[in-house]
Amino acid sequence: MEKFAKPGEFCPNEACPDYGKLQNGQQQNLEKFGKTRKGVQRYRCQTCRKTFTETFGTIFYGKRTPEHEILETLALLAEGNRISTLSRVKGHKEDTILRWLREAAHHAEQLEEVLMAEFRVKRGQLDALWAYVRNKGEKKLP
Ligand SMILES: [Zn+2]
């Protein structure tokens, strides 16, 4: 299974030939490129010359909600909580949660590892979650 890629481990520019390739012995297109004023590490891709910060390069790039919060919401969904309940408890719109869920399903392999390791979600719960996304006509989780 693919590891959950951390920021700075791959180029997040979809137009780049090295987009999404994890850095290792052979693949070293990223270099550290100073820090932002807030002290966030910045990287530059030597292939496409684009720069980005640690927060860029996660699958949830561009979301205003912190990644941990999104992952926790996904974990709670996997554990069988309803979207309507989570919307009320966590204060996110149901549409927003559904959108995270759909995006997460596209990155299921990357996310499974972190959801299982850090949020103690079980494999079967994740399978049910992705199945739910595929049958998005249904209103509640199994
Ligand atoms: Zn690049």
Side-chain angles (χ1 to χ4, degrees):
M1 194 200 311
E2 209 175 12
K3 271 176 60 180
F4 181 66
K6 291 186 179 63
E9 288 187 344
F10 63 93
C11 176
N13 172 17
E14 288 185 40
C16 175
D18 287 329
Y19 163 68
K21 291 184 188 167
L22 292 180
Q23 304 297 291
N24 58 37
Q26 280 85 49
Q27 187 69 38
Q28 293 188 345
N29 53 302
L30 296 186
E31 59 182 359
K32 287 191 175 173
F33 198 67
K35 293 193 173 178
T36 68
R37 272 184 301 173
K38 287 180 179 171
V40 178
Q41 181 66 52
R42 189 188 286 120
Y43 297 90
R44 182 167 69 175
C45 174
Q46 294 170 310
T47 307
C48 64
R49 314 307 285 179
K50 287 259 193 311
T51 62
F52 53 92
T53 61
E54 283 179 326
T55 51
F56 197 133
T58 72
I59 65 154
F60 296 118
Y61 172 69
K63 303 284 181 293
R64 276 175 302 177
T65 311
E67 182 173 288
H68 183 274
E69 171 73 6
I70 296 176
L71 289 170
E72 187 179 66
T73 304
L74 292 170
L76 289 166
L77 280 171
E79 285 166 5
N81 295 285
R82 291 178 183 209
I83 288 176
S84 56
T85 307
L86 289 173
S87 174
R88 199 170 59 240
V89 172
K90 292 197 150 282
H92 305 297
K93 289 181 183 163
E94 289 187 29
D95 283 352
T96 303
I97 295 176
L98 264 175
R99 201 167 60 239
W100 293 342
L101 193 49
R102 282 196 211 103
E103 287 181 36
H106 285 294
H107 301 272
E109 284 192 10
Q110 281 176 294
L111 285 172
E112 281 178 350
E113 187 166 292
V114 71
L115 285 171
M116 288 192 290
E118 291 182 23
F119 294 89
R120 308 279 168 224
V121 180
K122 296 189 180 68
R123 157 78 51 198
Q125 293 175 320
L126 286 170
D127 289 343
L129 186 65
W130 309 138
Y132 166 75
V133 182
R134 287 190 289 270
N135 300 316
K136 57 186 175 195
E138 289 176 40
K139 288 220 171 71
K140 53 187 176 179
L141 284 163

